[in-house]
Amino acid sequence: MQFIIQRNRLINSVQHVMRAVSSRTTIPILTGIKIVADSNGITFTGSDSDISIESFIPVEEDGDQLIEMKQTGSIVLNARFFGDIVRKLPMDTVEIFAEDTQHVLIKSGKAEFNLNGFDPSEYPLLPQISEEDVFSIPGDLLKMMIKQTVFAVSTSEIRPILTGVNWQIEDGNLICVATDSHRLAKKSSPIDVPGDVSYQTVIPGKSLLELSKILDDSDHPVNIVITENQILFKTKNIHFFTRRLEGNYPDTSRLIPSDYKTNITLDGKVFNDAIERASLLAREERNNVVKLASQGENMLEISSNTPEIGNVSEEIPIESLQGEELTISFSAKYMMEALRAIDGTDITISFTGAMRPFIIRSEEDPSILQLILPVRTA
Amino acid sequence: MQFIIQRNRLINSVQHVMRAVSSRTTIPILTGIKIVADSNGITFTGSDSDISIESFIPVEEDGDQLIEMKQTGSIVLNARFFGDIVRKLPMDTVEIFAEDTQHVLIKSGKAEFNLNGFDPSEYPLLPQISEEDVFSIPGDLLKMMIKQTVFAVSTSEIRPILTGVNWQIEDGNLICVATDSHRLAKKSSPIDVPGDVSYQTVIPGKSLLELSKILDDSDHPVNIVITENQILFKTKNIHFFTRRLEGNYPDTSRLIPSDYKTNITLDGKVFNDAIERASLLAREERNNVVKLASQGENMLEISSNTPEIGNVSEEIPIESLQGEELTISFSAKYMMEALRAIDGTDITISFTGAMRPFIIRSEEDPSILQLILPVRTA
């Protein structure tokens, strides 16, 4: 294998596939990046047990020659050393020459690295995915839907299924739901599939987080293929594989109350800042609890109390309160994360009493819903 | 105690004195910031066993009223909570009202914090320093002299004196020297003292690092008072106290060779980049060793070899080599830190043989010298 490649493109591909490489793997070859050079271009692959990422650089793109291919072939190189080396190379082009697996020369200008490689035939094969059932989502929408739900997955392995985001496609909509059983995030969006197509799958939260870091903010389509065990996300030059989580995702629709006793509409930014201040003294408590108490139709009081440190209270204006007056306590962390996901100017919070879950919605964007379970306080 | 203060100035002072507050102290009151309000203004104090910092905000400055003083007094508040609170307050002014030590109100707009305080009479007194022996250094020069030497102090407590920087004033010059016995950094500068004044003191490296973070890049004078146990650095509104290290600093002048067998002059940036690349594969080795080998009068080879990973070599151009050809090995980390301190375009490295310490100097600035002991290799 021997080729000359543009350094910037090489850095970019290596950074992408390194997201799938774990330094803690017990399988030595998975600490490496597989490089396969054929007449069309070069494919880089990184993988751990959950995620595999392929990044392809074509020999030529839009009339620019990106690679001068001297000899096709393949090699596996230690991901961390290879990544460090390509970032620090002195010139804009790099020559890589794998004489055999133990002698790989990386050359740029006067700098020459000889790296020991691994035998590429020992690298595990990625799943072969037939492309029958493909649908597509604009990249920026996909990135947004991940961001608005993935933070709410469970970090505990007690119920593994809750570490994933539930994706459901029906009636031409994609509905994403994540919950750790203390709060829930839900986002839906119409997507371009026939109305009679329906899927349901649970995708690991960690996989979606890594995927969202690779996606850019353009509306270029991401093609998605769901198979029995795997899901493949395909952009122009990247293939991102993740395993599906096994098991039945709980029916969360019953969690979401349908009638409300109190509806409060207010400025999300003002509310978030007050919650953040109220949480300052409470943050070392396990639950980081703040209290919300309505004060008539124009005002809320946000407060918290940590006896050994002190207490804080703040009155903030609201646009409206409809229904019963209310006092309720909840996790400041969950509320701030929900508000960050909604990211709207005006929000409405709908309560069904101090001991029942409440929901937060954006006045501008009805497609997103956040739910939080209150905390029982003395 | 009761006053209204501009929030930005408050944040600034709290950030400065927090540099002296350690969260790991075993003395509860030292987790706090002492606030003393008198008719002139407010003094904030933070302290641990090594460093104490006072920051003063006057009632009025340059015709601007910074503080509305309602009642003088004093209090001690938990540094971390107080710091978090003032950063997050909603308005540009803050009212602080200490009714008694257990009830301190911090109010900004509609946000009200009640914080438990400490009794200020229990806060340790700072050393009273008579201001007989004062000299002064421009702040930017002081900051530079710290930066160019402090990184070379020892991090090991085996010889505590080496964890400090040796300051010597004689013949109107300040000479700063730091060494961990594997490398040495030395910087001298003329300062504004009478020629017959001489001092010698060793200042903890950690204290100098914190001091350099507080100093701005202006040439406003910093007044320095050296007493038997303490040193005080005074800027317009900040007093920075540090203890002196006890013990005799070793005579480092004999370490620095005076005649050389090989002098190499080259571009510091080109050299640094090649060292950095050569160190990429070696960085997990304890010594992170790279090898330099002269190749006639116009070229150097920089290389390293880590058998289980690979090897790297690079030829770089030099401006001149005078004297004997040379092959020598040294720590890449020490070399990169020395080059960062010198920060000059053209540097000269002077060797007295492969087993002897060598020195690195800037062609532009003879006031700085870096010395490194080579590593013996097979």
Side-chain angles (χ1 to χ4, degrees):
Chain A
M1 187 187 79
Q2 189 172 12
F3 58 83
I4 297 170
I5 187 167
Q6 289 191 10
R7 188 171 70 101
N8 282 341
R9 293 298 290 253
L10 177 60
I11 290 174
N12 198 34
S13 282
V14 169
Q15 278 174 344
H16 282 159
V17 304
M18 274 187 77
R19 295 199 170 279
V21 179
S22 165
S23 57
R24 283 168 301 178
T25 179
T26 52
I27 306 166
I29 201 162
L30 290 185
T31 62
I33 290 175
K34 186 182 177 191
I35 305 172
V36 177
D38 64 29
S39 58
N40 297 315
I42 299 168
T43 304
F44 299 85
T45 307
S47 183
D48 68 4
S49 53
D50 286 342
I51 304 173
S52 300
I53 305 174
E54 281 182 355
S55 177
F56 178 72
I57 304 177
V59 166
E60 206 181 292
E61 187 181 69
D62 303 332
D64 283 340
Q65 191 183 9
L66 306 179
I67 295 167
E68 183 188 331
M69 186 67 68
K70 296 184 170 177
Q71 198 188 336
T72 61
S74 61
I75 190 72
V76 175
L77 294 176
N78 179 289
R80 195 159 57 83
F81 290 119
F82 185 54
D84 285 348
I85 289 169
V86 298
R87 263 200 308 281
K88 295 288 184 188
L89 289 174
M91 309 300 276
D92 289 340
T93 60
V94 186
E95 176 160 9
I96 296 180
F97 175 35
E99 200 176 346
D100 55 52
T101 58
Q102 284 302 300
H103 296 89
V104 182
L105 176 72
I106 302 162
K107 191 175 165 184
S108 179
K110 292 278 190 182
E112 295 191 359
F113 292 80
N114 277 287
L115 214 54
N116 302 344
F118 297 93
D119 183 348
S121 67
E122 290 172 11
Y123 197 86
L125 291 176
L126 296 197
Q128 293 301 305
I129 289 186
S130 77
E131 310 219 345
E132 287 165 17
D133 296 326
V134 180
F135 64 97
S136 140
I137 306 181
D140 51 357
L141 174 63
L142 175 58
K143 194 169 177 171
M144 176 65 78
M145 293 187 80
I146 294 172
K147 180 189 156 219
Q148 292 180 327
T149 52
V150 74
F151 67 91
V153 299
S154 173
T155 54
S156 151
E157 288 291 336
I158 292 171
R159 290 183 68 189
I161 195 79
L162 295 186
T163 63
V165 179
N166 188 45
W167 279 33
Q168 188 144 16
I169 294 171
E170 56 184 21
D171 304 331
N173 283 295
L174 169 62
I175 304 154
C176 304
V177 173
T179 181
D180 60 7
S181 75
H182 302 291
R183 38 88 180 260
L184 174 148
K186 180 180 178 183
K187 163 80 179 178
S188 59
S189 177
I191 59 169
D192 190 20
V193 288
D196 59 346
V197 168
S198 74
Y199 293 102
Q200 188 270 327
T201 183
V202 183
I203 310 174
K206 282 181 195 162
S207 301
L208 290 171
L209 258 185
E210 294 302 335
L211 174 63
S212 72
K213 289 175 191 162
I214 290 178
L215 294 172
D216 57 29
D217 292 312
S218 77
D219 61 358
H220 291 152
V222 178
N223 291 317
I224 301 173
V225 190
I226 302 179
T227 70
E228 199 180 336
N229 301 311
Q230 297 272 333
I231 304 170
L232 166 60
F233 297 88
K234 290 171 65 179
T235 69
K236 192 177 161 206
N237 289 321
I238 295 173
H239 286 189
F240 184 103
F241 300 78
T242 168
R243 69 181 175 102
R244 296 171 59 166
L245 285 176
E246 287 171 29
N248 291 318
Y249 200 80
D251 178 9
T252 54
S253 62
R254 288 173 306 173
L255 261 178
I256 301 168
S258 53
D259 55 64
Y260 308 104
K261 294 189 180 160
T262 311
N263 282 294
I264 296 172
T265 300
L266 79 171
D267 182 312
K269 172 84 170 66
V270 169
F271 186 49
N272 184 70
D273 289 353
I275 298 283
E276 193 174 3
R277 279 190 284 274
S279 77
L280 286 177
L281 301 188
R283 65 176 176 178
E284 284 185 302
E285 296 295 295
R286 202 170 64 94
N287 286 315
N288 192 4
V289 174
V290 298
K291 188 162 89 177
L292 175 158
S294 64
Q295 310 276 309
E297 289 178 7
N298 302 311
M299 207 65 95
L300 275 188
E301 188 194 52
I302 309 294
S303 62
S304 82
N305 185 17
T306 310
E308 62 276 26
I309 298 165
N311 60 69
V312 46
S313 76
E314 178 166 358
E315 286 190 338
I316 59 171
I318 59 176
E319 274 165 47
S320 68
L321 176 144
Q322 288 165 346
E324 303 173 6
E325 295 267 339
L326 174 96
T327 297
I328 193 168
S329 295
F330 50 81
S331 154
K333 173 174 178 281
Y334 291 168
M335 180 57 85
M336 289 190 283
E337 290 182 350
L339 293 171
R340 197 178 308 136
I342 289 179
D343 197 23
T345 312
D346 280 351
I347 59 158
T348 295
I349 317 179
S350 303
F351 301 92
T352 326
M355 294 302 160
R356 300 290 308 281
F358 59 91
I359 64 167
I360 309 142
R361 278 177 294 199
S362 161
E363 288 288 287
E364 292 108 52
D365 179 5
S367 73
I368 177 163
L369 176 148
Q370 302 284 335
L371 175 144
I372 296 176
L373 270 70
V375 174
R376 198 183 292 261
T377 53
Chain B
M1 185 187 81
Q2 189 172 13
F3 57 83
I4 297 170
I5 188 167
Q6 289 190 9
R7 189 171 70 100
N8 283 343
R9 293 297 291 253
L10 177 61
I11 291 174
N12 198 33
S13 282
V14 169
Q15 279 175 344
H16 282 158
V17 304
M18 274 186 77
R19 296 200 170 280
V21 179
S22 164
S23 57
R24 282 167 302 177
T25 178
T26 52
I27 305 167
I29 201 162
L30 289 185
T31 62
I33 290 175
K34 186 181 179 192
I35 305 172
V36 177
D38 64 28
S39 58
N40 297 316
I42 299 167
T43 304
F44 299 85
T45 307
S47 183
D48 68 4
S49 53
D50 287 341
I51 304 174
S52 301
I53 304 174
E54 281 182 354
S55 177
F56 179 72
I57 304 178
V59 166
E60 206 182 293
E61 187 180 70
D62 303 331
D64 283 341
Q65 192 184 5
L66 305 180
I67 296 167
E68 183 187 330
M69 186 68 67
K70 296 183 170 178
Q71 198 188 335
T72 60
S74 61
I75 190 72
V76 175
L77 294 176
N78 179 288
R80 196 158 58 84
F81 290 119
F82 185 55
D84 285 350
I85 289 168
V86 298
R87 261 200 309 280
K88 295 288 184 186
L89 289 174
M91 309 298 279
D92 290 340
T93 61
V94 187
E95 177 161 7
I96 297 180
F97 175 33
E99 201 176 347
D100 56 50
T101 56
Q102 284 303 301
H103 298 88
V104 183
L105 177 70
I106 302 162
K107 191 175 165 185
S108 180
K110 294 278 191 182
E112 294 191 2
F113 292 81
N114 276 289
L115 214 53
N116 303 342
F118 297 93
D119 183 347
S121 68
E122 289 172 13
Y123 197 86
L125 291 176
L126 297 197
Q128 293 301 306
I129 288 186
S130 77
E131 310 220 346
E132 287 166 18
D133 295 326
V134 180
F135 63 97
S136 142
I137 306 181
D140 51 356
L141 175 62
L142 176 58
K143 195 170 177 170
M144 176 65 78
M145 292 187 79
I146 293 172
K147 182 190 154 216
Q148 291 180 327
T149 51
V150 74
F151 67 91
V153 300
S154 173
T155 54
S156 150
E157 288 292 336
I158 292 171
R159 288 182 70 188
I161 196 78
L162 295 187
T163 64
V165 179
N166 188 45
W167 279 31
Q168 188 144 17
I169 294 171
E170 56 184 22
D171 305 330
N173 284 295
L174 169 63
I175 303 153
C176 303
V177 173
T179 181
D180 61 5
S181 76
H182 301 292
R183 39 88 181 262
L184 175 148
K186 180 180 178 183
K187 163 80 179 176
S188 59
S189 177
I191 59 169
D192 189 19
V193 288
D196 60 346
V197 168
S198 73
Y199 293 102
Q200 187 271 327
T201 184
V202 183
I203 309 174
K206 282 180 194 163
S207 302
L208 290 171
L209 258 185
E210 293 301 335
L211 174 63
S212 71
K213 288 174 191 163
I214 290 177
L215 294 172
D216 57 29
D217 291 312
S218 77
D219 61 358
H220 291 152
V222 178
N223 291 317
I224 301 173
V225 190
I226 302 179
T227 71
E228 199 180 335
N229 301 310
Q230 297 272 334
I231 305 170
L232 167 59
F233 297 86
K234 290 171 67 178
T235 69
K236 192 176 161 207
N237 289 321
I238 295 173
H239 287 191
F240 185 105
F241 300 79
T242 169
R243 70 182 174 100
R244 296 172 58 167
L245 285 176
E246 286 171 30
N248 291 320
Y249 201 79
D251 177 9
T252 54
S253 62
R254 287 172 306 173
L255 261 178
I256 302 168
S258 51
D259 54 69
Y260 307 104
K261 294 190 181 158
T262 312
N263 282 296
I264 297 173
T265 300
L266 78 172
D267 182 313
K269 173 83 170 67
V270 169
F271 186 50
N272 184 70
D273 289 353
I275 297 283
E276 194 175 0
R277 279 189 284 273
S279 76
L280 286 178
L281 301 187
R283 65 178 175 175
E284 284 185 302
E285 296 296 295
R286 202 172 63 94
N287 287 315
N288 192 5
V289 174
V290 299
K291 189 162 91 177
L292 175 159
S294 63
Q295 310 275 313
E297 290 179 8
N298 302 312
M299 209 64 95
L300 276 188
E301 188 194 52
I302 309 293
S303 62
S304 83
N305 185 17
T306 309
E308 62 276 28
I309 298 164
N311 60 67
V312 46
S313 76
E314 179 167 357
E315 285 190 339
I316 58 170
I318 58 177
E319 274 166 46
S320 68
L321 177 143
Q322 288 166 346
E324 303 173 5
E325 295 266 340
L326 174 97
T327 297
I328 192 168
S329 296
F330 49 83
S331 153
K333 173 174 178 283
Y334 291 168
M335 180 58 86
M336 289 190 284
E337 290 182 349
L339 293 171
R340 196 177 309 136
I342 290 179
D343 198 22
T345 311
D346 279 351
I347 59 159
T348 295
I349 317 179
S350 303
F351 302 90
T352 325
M355 293 302 160
R356 299 289 309 281
F358 58 92
I359 64 168
I360 309 142
R361 278 179 294 199
S362 160
E363 289 287 288
E364 292 108 50
D365 179 4
S367 73
I368 178 164
L369 175 147
Q370 302 284 335
L371 175 144
I372 296 175
L373 270 70
V375 174
R376 198 183 292 261
T377 53

